[in-house]
């Protein structure tokens, strides 16, 4: 999945300690429409497991979870 | 609400009620002494946060269904159905409660309101009114335990990055963050965040400890949610790991509720006795300093420092002196909060409330007593060994514009250790 995906909401989660990045994504998912995408950037490595686990258990979809220049970049799609 | 559903919800209360809880229901003298003990009531003045009032809602349902007098003349005994109105009020008064149990400490009958509210949580969950955010966070944790193969590589790769930092901090290129190490003495259970792993790894390394890091975090949102089954499953993840690796002890990071879950509740939930002991990381660090296994510079902390007893570590966990001994070993100017230890004020950030945005405004108000206590010391540093407390204290600091540095104790310890590395302890 490339970064050309249309992003509906940008979340800057840098500096937040886990599990806060997951909490923030969860709190904001209803701020995008169904089918909409959140792009979130975190710096805590724990988010790499937390955010995909949250998405899987809530039935949402992680389009991307990657480390880029020491930051962790996520594209999360609201499925329902 | 249908009669059938009302009866089912009342049935949840009946199932949870044991002799002790029934006694609490019966003996409350409505003296309202508890009102001055609850930081939420004191900070907001809102009647729904008065401890006895929170419990009163459960009492009213209980009277209606299970008490003869209440069944026959409900109006006289304020006996009520668990209808939507009652459940809505119950939701707020229950999920806002930080389970600090300060009200219990001051109640002349030691009525445990937080325990009564665990019954309320079970009923709210049965009515489909459990807190959604806590439920999502609990499910995500269980997902990691159910399908560890999906998360293992990414977790281990994160640990490797932290290990590289530990090598820079200690100046020892052979320093390790071991995972899955069979026969290690200690299984250390951190939080998902690197900040809970990095300093502990440095301390274990310097102490020459035989340890291994859990793949899982100790935070337990199932506990805050009030769902004992989910809470058990979340704790099972690392307890099973401890059994599999054959460790001698499980050490919980600087977190309040996680310590209480591991030390006090898990054996009851699982019905099995742990073949290992459970300790808090501060007990271990205190021992390392006392035994000379790690060295700390006694003047390392510059400026006046105070210490906040997280409710689940202090009043409800019994650890008062270990953290104070550590802080005193590092600082010349230690000033305790007043009151402290068993009587410590809750900061307002426990019970999972920091994750429930609907309570944000009341949560900040409920920190008024803590702010007053901190100001009275004149300290510019506060050590608080619980993640939820620190989050709350940071927001209180910003809101009240306090000149205050908020820190875990582990970080202070690492900063006070003579280490050969060049990197600072925290990123
Ligand atoms: S202090 Fe105890 S007895 Fe008095 S109102 Fe509160 S809960 Fe009831
Ligand atoms: S346990 Fe703490 S927050 Fe809950 S009612 Fe008692 S004093 Fe208030």
């Amino acid at each position: 999945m490339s970064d050309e995906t249309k992003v509906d909401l940008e979340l800057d989660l840098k500096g937040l300690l886990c599990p806060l990045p997951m909490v923030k994504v969860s709190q904001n998912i209803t701020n995008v429409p169904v089918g909409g995408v959140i792009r979130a950037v975190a710096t805590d490595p724990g988010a790499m497991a937390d955010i995909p686990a949250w998405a899987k258990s809530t039935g949402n979809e992680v389009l991307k979870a990657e480390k880029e220049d020491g930051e962790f970049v996520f594209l999360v799609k609201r499925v329902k | 609400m249908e009669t059938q559903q009302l009866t089912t919800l009342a049935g949840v209360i009946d199932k949870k009620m044991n002799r002790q809880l029934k006694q609490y229901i019966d003996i409350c003298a409505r003296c309202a002494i508890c009102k001055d003990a609850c930081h939420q009531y004191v900070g907001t003045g809102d009647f729904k946060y008065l401890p006895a009032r929170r419990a009163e809602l459960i009492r009213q349902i209980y009277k209606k269904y299970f008490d003869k007098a209440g069944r026959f003349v409900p109006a006289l005994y304020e006996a009520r159905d668990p209808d939507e109105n009652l459940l809505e009020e119950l939701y707020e008064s229950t999920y806002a409660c930080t389970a600090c149990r300060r009200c219990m400490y001051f109640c002349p009958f030691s009525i445990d309101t937080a325990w009564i509210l665990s019954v309320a949580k079970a009923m709210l969950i049965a009515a489909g009114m459990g807190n959604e955010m806590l439920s999502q966070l609990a499910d995500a944790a269980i997902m990691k335990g159910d399908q560890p193969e999906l998360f293992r590589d990414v977790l281990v790769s994160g640990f490797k990055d932290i290990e590289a930092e530990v090598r820079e901090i200690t100046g020892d290129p052979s320093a390790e963050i071991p995972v899955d190490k069979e026969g290690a003495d200690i299984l250390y259970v951190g939080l998902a965040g690197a900040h809970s792993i990095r300093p502990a790894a440095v301390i274990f390394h310097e102490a020459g400890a035989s340890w291994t890091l859990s793949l899982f975090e100790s935070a337990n949102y199932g506990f805050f949610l009030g769902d004992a089954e989910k809470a058990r499953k979340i704790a099972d993840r690392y307890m099973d790991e401890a059994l599999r690796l054959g460790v001698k002890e499980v050490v919980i990071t600087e977190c309040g509720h996680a310590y209480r879950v591991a030390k006090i509740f898990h054996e009851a939930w699982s019905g099995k006795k742990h073949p290992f002991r459970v300790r808090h990381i501060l007990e271990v660090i205190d021992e390392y300093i006392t035994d000379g296994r790690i060295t700390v510079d006694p003047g390392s902390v510059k400026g006046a420092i105070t210490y906040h007893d997280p409710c689940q570590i202090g009043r409800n966990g019994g650890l008062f002196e270990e953290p104070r001994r550590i802080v005193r070993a590092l600082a010349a100017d230690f000033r305790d909060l007043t009151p402290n230890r068993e009587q410590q004020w809750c900061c307002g950030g426990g019970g999972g409330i920091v994750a429930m945005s609907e309570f944000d405004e009341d949560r900040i108000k409920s920190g008024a007593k803590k702010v007053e206590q901190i100001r009275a010391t004149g300290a510019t540093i506060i050590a608080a060994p619980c993640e939820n407390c620190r989050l709350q204290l940071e927001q209180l600091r910003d809101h009240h514009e306090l000149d205050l540095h908020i820190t875990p104790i582990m970080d202070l310890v690492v900063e006070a250790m003579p280490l050969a590395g060049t990197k600072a302890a925290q990123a």
Side-chain angles (χ1 to χ4, degrees):
Chain A
M1 185 57 60
S2 76
D3 269 354
E4 281 139 43
T5 308
K6 182 179 167 292
V7 171
D8 297 84
L9 182 67
E10 292 270 356
L11 288 182
D12 178 0
L13 309 175
K14 285 177 266 191
L16 290 185
L17 307 176
C18 282
L20 279 185
M22 166 173 61
V23 172
K24 293 287 173 197
V25 170
S26 171
Q27 281 172 347
N28 280 284
I29 197 74
T30 48
N31 293 334
V32 300
V34 172
V37 172
I38 292 180
R39 180 174 183 277
V41 182
T43 45
D44 193 324
M48 285 294 276
D50 269 8
I51 292 177
W54 166 84
K56 211 168 159 39
S57 64
T58 52
N60 290 294
E61 197 184 341
V62 172
L63 306 175
K64 165 180 171 170
E66 271 164 33
K67 189 172 174 186
E68 290 175 5
D69 301 329
E71 294 176 346
F72 303 96
V73 181
F74 302 88
L75 289 175
V76 183
K77 182 173 164 188
R78 179 175 175 194
V79 174
K80 52 184 189 181
Chain B
M1 208 180 265
E2 304 279 328
T3 316
Q4 176 63 41
Q5 203 187 347
L6 293 173
T7 316
T8 309
L9 293 181
V12 173
I13 297 191
D14 194 35
K15 229 173 100 195
K16 288 261 166 192
M17 273 301 169
N18 59 19
R19 233 176 73 202
Q20 180 70 65
L21 282 168
K22 279 181 193 154
Q23 203 184 33
Y24 289 152
I25 293 282
D26 286 334
I27 60 174
C28 174
R30 292 171 173 77
C31 62
I33 288 174
C34 51
K35 80 178 191 331
D36 300 323
C38 177
H39 60 287
Q40 271 174 357
Y41 180 75
V42 171
T44 63
D46 192 329
F47 186 57
K48 69 172 178 275
Y49 294 143
L50 200 153
R53 169 66 191 169
R54 304 186 207 234
E56 184 64 22
L57 298 172
I58 287 293
R59 187 174 290 116
Q60 288 172 345
I61 307 169
Y62 190 76
K63 290 260 183 242
K64 169 92 192 246
Y65 285 84
F66 307 108
D67 181 284
K68 245 196 217 141
R71 258 202 321 255
F72 292 115
V73 265
L76 204 60
Y77 292 90
E78 289 189 314
R80 284 171 71 188
D81 274 320
D83 57 17
E84 277 91 356
N85 287 341
L86 186 141
L87 288 179
E88 263 162 40
E89 189 184 341
L90 193 63
Y91 174 87
E92 292 196 356
S93 59
T94 297
Y95 277 110
C97 170
T98 56
C100 72
R101 293 164 98 222
R102 196 167 188 270
C103 52
M104 176 183 178
Y105 181 84
F106 286 96
C107 169
F109 302 105
S110 301
I111 292 178
D112 188 349
T113 304
W115 189 6
I116 300 177
L117 294 182
S118 72
V119 177
K121 285 184 177 178
M123 198 176 64
L124 289 163
I125 292 169
M129 287 176 69
N131 180 273
E132 179 56 28
M133 176 58 68
L134 298 181
S135 179
Q136 284 187 17
L137 294 173
D139 290 345
I142 293 169
M143 170 68 67
K144 281 199 242 171
D146 283 349
Q147 302 188 23
E149 65 288 352
L150 289 183
F151 304 100
R152 198 191 150 81
D153 289 353
V154 86
L155 286 168
V156 171
S157 135
F159 299 156
K160 282 282 160 212
D161 290 347
I162 305 170
E163 184 178 83
E165 292 181 79
V166 171
R167 290 176 177 177
E168 284 179 54
I169 296 168
T170 57
D172 182 349
S174 69
E176 278 188 345
I177 295 191
V179 178
D180 264 339
K181 190 170 142 192
E182 270 180 51
D185 289 344
I186 293 170
L187 177 71
Y188 174 68
V189 196
L191 298 171
H195 64 294
S196 70
I197 299 168
R198 196 186 300 115
V202 171
I203 293 167
F204 286 136
H205 176 73
E206 293 296 310
S210 152
W211 74 292
T212 185
L213 175 66
S214 172
L215 276 175
F216 303 104
E217 73 286 354
S218 57
N220 196 318
Y221 288 92
F223 178 62
F224 293 146
L225 177 64
D227 186 323
E229 181 63 15
K230 285 187 181 179
R232 181 189 56 75
K233 279 189 186 160
I234 293 168
D236 276 352
R237 300 174 312 162
Y238 61 79
M239 290 298 187
D240 290 348
E241 207 180 5
L243 285 173
R244 178 168 55 80
L245 299 176
V247 298
K248 296 191 182 112
E249 67 177 328
V250 166
V251 173
I252 303 291
T253 192
E254 287 194 35
C255 175
H257 77 283
Y259 171 64
R260 206 158 155 236
V261 161
K263 176 101 184 171
I264 298 168
F265 293 113
H266 185 261
E267 284 188 341
W269 291 338
S270 63
K272 286 181 230 146
K273 222 176 142 24
H274 299 148
F276 42 77
R277 74 172 160 172
V278 174
R279 282 200 293 173
H280 194 271
I281 184 73
L282 296 181
E283 294 176 90
V284 176
I285 294 174
D286 178 43
E287 184 184 279
Y288 288 168
I289 295 177
T290 308
D291 294 353
R293 283 180 70 176
I294 59 172
T295 317
V296 287
D297 166 9
S300 162
V301 174
K302 308 276 181 263
I305 181 168
T306 187
Y307 171 70
H308 164 67
D309 295 275
C311 303
Q312 308 308 339
I313 293 175
R315 186 165 37 251
N316 303 323
L319 299 181
F320 298 112
E321 303 316 321
E322 295 83 348
R324 284 178 170 79
R325 263 199 303 272
I326 300 170
V327 174
R328 282 181 200 279
L330 317 171
D333 188 0
F334 173 70
R335 307 175 186 183
D336 222 332
L337 294 171
T338 308
N340 53 55
R341 297 178 171 81
E342 290 92 343
Q343 297 190 9
Q344 185 68 263
W345 279 100
C346 174
C347 66
I353 195 171
V354 289
M356 297 183 270
S357 50
E358 62 265 51
F359 297 117
D360 281 357
E361 211 183 310
D362 284 352
R363 170 165 62 80
I364 294 299
K365 282 188 194 162
S366 76
K369 275 286 166 195
K370 185 53 58 189
V371 171
E372 206 178 291
Q373 276 185 294
I374 296 169
R375 279 201 171 120
T377 64
T380 52
I381 309 165
I382 186 164
C386 168
E387 186 84 359
N388 286 324
C389 299
R390 284 196 299 273
L391 269 172
Q392 168 77 346
L393 290 169
E394 281 164 12
Q395 292 184 19
L396 291 174
R397 172 194 58 200
D398 296 346
H399 184 83
H400 293 274
E401 297 179 353
L402 303 176
D403 172 21
L404 190 66
H405 173 57
I406 298 146
T407 175
I409 291 185
M410 284 195 288
D411 289 17
L412 296 177
V413 172
V414 172
E415 277 158 27
M417 287 162 71
L419 298 168
T422 44
K423 192 179 171 351
Q426 279 294 16

